[in-house]
């Protein structure tokens, strides 16, 4: 007897092949049959006429590493139909670190009022998994874990903005090697942030060799996503040239007004690299705004010592140089309205939920001085949304063969349970992509589903998910192709999407008739 049979669904199997009407059976956590008609007995039979039955969506770029430690529901992701997330991105994880240098890691991870982050900060990925198990922590999505280069570098070197020595590179490589043995999927780089911004090609290549040893991947928030994006891309290609490790470009974009209209050049550059044998892939999110810390708009040299140090430089003679840099980028009202403060984490609440132009008018300061004021008051710990991309470029990229990643966290849907108003990508990325593809004829439904499922599984070389196939894990998302849409906005991001009817994980219901169940079915998927 089958556990569940879904009848009369529009089977969109993730391969990109034409969809068709049929039945799908699930038993013991696996997909057991896919036929035009299944006559077996089942514990539960559900007619899903008019609904698409697809593989569970795989979020290629997620920051949900510790989200489940705060709230096991992970509502913002599971309610989008996401069943698996690739976490540990942009160089930032709370592991790994030499045991005698844990103070460095504690400084790197900072404080988090929502959970005991220093308890969970670990000397290794294996130790982190042990702490999670010991605390009996549950989660609602599967997590595939990368190791953050920023964590490795800070743990070994502190926040020093200099070239790593051979010994330091070997220490980082040894930590990474142990974590890869424990089931991590690769290394993530945050080359636009401290301390990754200070790493050179030799350091990246040294770690790339370790990743290649375990057939993993190197993902990157690149050093530059604007004026110097092509040099940044070549830095990633060089990792592959020198080590043969696969490289992956996170949240692909053309950032900054001066670069708008060049998205076609960006795609051509990547295609040409692929043609000559560079193993490179990419993901993106369907929004024109990015989200990061306020010091991300500072000159990169200020990050020597970390974000707190960058903010403190505004109290020294270096302030004039920083203000001059900011004045270049924040000249018009539109510039200031494009930088929105999500939260100062309680340090300077007058700035929360305001854009820099609006706040500058209240404070009677220039926009550059306003940014400086906020940074100083919050010691650099400020979450922001930056409207940095052109809609035309985003739509062009969405029409290309690129995987989808949210760059978001698993968050509660309740505004009261969140800090400020986070980016709507946390709540709407995948339904939004399906809506935009439908309304703008960006690609077929089958291709859109493939870019959220099999394409990501192929990038990861994930062998048992991403396709509806007999014998594969029964991670399944069922949605209405005509009504699926995002409802989250920048003003009100805490809106559940429309059109996700059922989400099945490991053969059990995580979402049933549009409502989350009490089951927490997520697990860490370890690389074999």
């Amino acid at each position: 007897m089958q556990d569940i049979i879904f009848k009369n669904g529009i089977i969109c199997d993730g391969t990109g092949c034409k969809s068709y009407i049929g039945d799908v059976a699930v038993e013991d956590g696996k997909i057991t049959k896919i036929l035009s008609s299944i006559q077996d007995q089942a514990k539960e039979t559900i007619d899903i006429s008019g609904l698409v039955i697809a593989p569970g969506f795989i979020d290629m770029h997620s920051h949900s590493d510790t989200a489940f430690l705060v709230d096991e529901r992970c509502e913002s992701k599971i309610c989008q139909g996401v069943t698996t997330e690739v976490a540990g991105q942009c160089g930032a994880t709370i592991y790994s670190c030499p045991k005698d240098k844990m103070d460095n890691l504690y400084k790197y991870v900072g404080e988090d009022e929502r959970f005991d982050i220093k308890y969970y900060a670990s000397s290794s990925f294996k130790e982190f998994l042990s702490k999670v198990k010991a605390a009996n922590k549950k989660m609602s999505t599967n997590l595939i874990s990368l190791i953050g280069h920023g964590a490795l570098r800070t743990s070994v070197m502190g926040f020093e903005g200099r070239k790593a020595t051979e010994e330091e590179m070997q220490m980082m490589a040894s930590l990474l090697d142990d974590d890869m043995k424990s089931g991590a999927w690769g290394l993530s780089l945050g080359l636009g942030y401290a301390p990754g911004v200070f790493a050179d090609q030799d350091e990246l290549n040294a770690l790339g060799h370790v990743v290649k040893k375990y057939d993993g991947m190197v993902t990157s928030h690149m050093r530059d996503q604007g004026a110097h994006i092509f040099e940044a891309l070549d830095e990633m290609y060089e990792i592959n040239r020198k080590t043969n490790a696969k490289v992956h470009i996170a949240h692909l974009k053309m950032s900054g007004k001066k670069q708008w209209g060049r998205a076609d050049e960006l795609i051509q550059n990547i295609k040409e690299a692929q043609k000559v044998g560079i193993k490179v892939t990419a993901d993106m999110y369907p929004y024109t705004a990015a989200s990061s810390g306020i010091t991300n708009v500072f000159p990169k040299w200020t990050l020597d010592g970390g974000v707190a140090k960058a903010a403190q430089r505004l109290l020294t003679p270096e302030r004039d140089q920083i203000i001059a840099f900011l004045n270049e980028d924040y000249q018009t009202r539109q510039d200031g309205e494009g930088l929105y403060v999500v939260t100062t984490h309680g340090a300077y609440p007058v700035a929360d939920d305001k854009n820099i132009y609006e706040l500058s008018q209240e404070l009677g300061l220039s926009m550059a001085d306003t940014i400086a004021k906020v940074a100083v008051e919050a010691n650099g710990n400020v979450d922001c949304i930056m409207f940095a991309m052109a809609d035309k470029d985003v739509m062009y990229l969405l029409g290309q063969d690129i995987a989808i990643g949210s760059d978001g966290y698993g968050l509660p849907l309740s505004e009261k349970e969140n800090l400020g108003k986070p980016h709507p990508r946390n709540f709407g990325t995948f339904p939004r992509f399906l809506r935009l593809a439908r309304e703008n004829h960006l690609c077929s439904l089958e291709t859109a589903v493939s870019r959220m499922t099999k394409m990501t599984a192929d990038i990861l070389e994930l062998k048992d998910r991403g396709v509806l196939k007999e014998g594969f894990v029964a991670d399944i998302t069922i949605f209405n192709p005509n009504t699926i849409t995002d409802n989250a906005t920048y003003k009100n991001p805490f809106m559940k999407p429309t059109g996700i009817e059922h989400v099945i994980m490991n053969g059990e219901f995580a979402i049933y008739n549009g409502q989350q169940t009490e089951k927490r079915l997520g697990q860490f998927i370890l690389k074999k």
Side-chain angles (χ1 to χ4, degrees):
M1 178 180 285
Q2 307 289 349
D3 291 331
I4 313 168
I5 297 177
F6 297 101
K7 303 285 291 184
N8 308 312
I10 302 167
I11 296 176
C12 202
D13 66 8
T15 64
C17 295
K18 187 171 176 57
S19 56
Y20 59 95
I21 306 299
D23 299 349
V24 176
V26 171
E27 184 182 3
D28 292 334
K30 299 291 180 68
I31 298 168
T32 51
K33 290 186 178 181
I34 304 175
L35 297 168
S36 57
S37 180
I38 297 173
Q39 300 303 317
D40 298 20
Q41 294 294 309
K43 296 174 185 175
E44 185 168 11
T45 299
I46 302 177
D47 189 329
I48 55 169
S49 297
L51 302 179
V52 168
I53 180 166
F57 302 156
I58 304 173
D59 188 342
M60 185 61 216
H61 187 94
S62 165
H63 288 280
S64 293
D65 320 40
T66 58
F68 70 97
L69 298 174
V70 178
D71 186 341
E72 65 181 19
R73 293 170 299 176
C74 309
E75 287 178 302
S76 68
K77 292 297 186 72
I78 196 71
C79 290
Q80 293 184 61
V82 172
T83 56
T84 298
E85 305 181 63
V86 186
Q89 301 279 359
C90 298
T93 51
I94 63 171
Y95 41 79
S96 295
C97 180
K99 287 186 180 294
D100 62 344
K101 294 177 178 284
M102 287 299 290
D103 282 348
N104 284 349
L105 183 62
Y106 295 149
K107 290 175 185 175
Y108 178 72
V109 301
E111 300 288 341
D112 194 311
E113 55 265 48
R114 299 166 301 170
F115 75 109
D116 189 353
I117 191 170
K118 287 188 177 178
Y119 168 74
Y120 285 101
S122 300
S123 64
S124 67
F125 178 46
K126 184 177 181 179
E127 182 183 66
F128 174 72
L129 293 177
S130 296
K131 289 178 179 178
V132 169
K133 184 177 180 180
N136 196 30
K137 289 292 185 178
K138 307 295 184 185
M139 54 193 183
S140 292
T141 58
N142 300 315
L143 291 184
I144 284 173
S145 300
L146 302 167
I147 305 303
H149 167 250
L152 297 179
R153 191 176 214 271
T154 305
S155 294
V156 169
M157 300 176 58
F159 289 93
E160 295 182 41
R162 60 170 174 81
K163 177 180 171 62
T165 65
E166 286 293 329
E167 181 182 8
E168 288 164 340
M169 284 191 276
Q170 287 173 11
M171 290 177 69
M172 285 185 261
S174 178
L175 290 167
L176 179 59
D177 192 281
D178 286 344
D179 288 341
M180 296 294 292
K181 285 177 186 172
S182 298
W185 287 73
L187 176 74
S188 79
L189 305 175
L191 301 181
Y193 302 118
V197 66
F198 303 111
D200 65 5
Q201 191 77 57
D202 289 340
E203 182 177 331
L204 303 183
N205 292 351
L207 297 173
H209 281 295
V210 178
V211 172
K212 172 57 183 173
K213 177 181 172 182
Y214 295 95
D215 197 29
M217 64 188 303
V218 179
T219 73
S220 183
H221 174 126
M222 292 194 297
R223 197 173 296 277
D224 192 282
Q225 299 175 104
H228 300 286
I229 191 168
F230 297 107
E231 295 97 313
L233 278 168
D234 197 61
E235 181 176 43
M236 295 304 296
Y237 300 158
E238 187 66 8
I239 296 173
N240 178 252
R241 292 187 193 106
K242 289 294 192 292
T243 72
N244 206 31
K246 295 170 291 188
V247 295
H248 180 85
I249 312 305
H251 39 61
L252 190 69
K253 60 172 71 81
M254 211 74 206
S255 185
K257 286 188 296 183
K258 294 177 182 177
Q259 313 311 316
W260 290 358
R262 302 181 68 191
D264 57 340
E265 295 177 51
L266 185 57
I267 291 299
Q268 189 59 35
N269 183 286
I270 293 172
K271 285 183 176 178
E272 287 176 2
Q274 290 168 335
K275 282 180 184 176
V276 298
I278 301 294
K279 297 174 183 174
V280 57
T281 49
D283 67 70
M284 69 173 296
Y285 49 76
Y287 295 89
T288 56
S291 184
S292 189
I294 199 165
T295 56
N296 207 42
V297 303
F298 284 27
K300 297 301 182 188
W301 60 265
T302 63
L303 296 173
D304 185 356
V307 296
K309 179 68 173 177
Q312 290 159 16
R313 291 180 195 279
L314 290 162
L315 303 175
T316 75
E318 293 175 317
R319 176 186 177 91
D320 290 345
Q321 194 175 346
I322 299 169
I323 293 295
F325 179 90
L326 293 173
N327 275 326
E328 285 291 314
D329 289 337
Y330 292 90
Q331 298 182 4
T332 69
R333 175 173 179 166
Q334 185 181 22
D335 295 334
E337 288 176 340
L339 181 59
Y340 164 80
V341 177
V342 173
T343 179
T344 56
H345 300 273
Y348 190 50
V350 69
D352 293 353
D353 196 22
K354 292 172 185 168
N355 65 57
I356 289 300
Y357 173 78
E358 178 184 9
L359 188 59
S360 73
Q361 297 303 295
E362 287 185 18
L363 299 177
L365 299 172
S366 72
M367 287 183 286
D369 284 320
T370 300
I371 293 168
K373 172 73 171 172
V374 176
V376 168
E377 292 289 343
N379 205 29
N381 186 24
V382 184
D383 296 341
C384 295
I385 290 172
M386 297 94 161
F387 290 86
M389 289 86 81
D391 187 66
K392 185 176 180 180
D393 284 345
V394 172
M395 293 302 289
Y396 174 82
L397 292 174
L398 284 174
Q400 305 302 308
D401 206 22
I402 302 170
I404 303 300
S406 70
D407 200 3
Y409 299 76
L411 298 173
L413 288 169
S414 165
E415 181 172 1
K416 292 179 181 178
E417 296 177 71
N418 281 275
L419 299 173
K421 293 182 180 177
H423 198 301
R425 68 191 183 192
N426 294 285
F427 303 87
T429 291
F430 292 85
R432 180 180 178 85
F433 172 57
L434 286 167
R435 174 179 66 81
L436 291 173
R438 178 181 72 232
E439 293 177 352
N440 297 279
H441 310 290
L442 298 174
C443 60
S444 67
L445 171 66
E446 292 85 355
T447 296
V449 166
S450 182
R451 287 172 57 188
M452 303 186 298
T453 57
K454 185 179 186 295
M455 179 182 288
T456 307
D458 287 348
I459 290 169
L460 295 163
E461 297 186 5
L462 184 59
K463 303 297 186 185
D464 59 355
R465 289 171 171 84
V467 177
L468 293 182
K469 185 177 180 180
E470 293 177 7
F472 273 39
V473 174
D475 284 359
I476 296 168
T477 295
I478 297 170
F479 64 92
N480 187 319
N482 300 313
T483 64
I484 190 165
T485 188
D486 58 313
N487 295 309
T489 65
Y490 293 100
K491 285 293 183 185
N492 185 12
F494 312 107
M495 298 294 289
K496 185 177 169 183
T498 300
I500 301 290
E501 300 296 331
H502 306 290
V503 177
I504 296 87
M505 289 181 60
N506 296 304
E508 299 185 67
F509 284 100
I511 299 283
Y512 188 80
N513 287 334
Q515 299 300 314
Q516 186 173 16
T517 69
E518 294 300 315
K519 294 181 179 178
R520 306 294 176 249
L521 302 165
Q523 59 187 330
F524 284 94
I525 301 175
L526 303 181
K527 186 171 177 63
K528 300 291 193 294

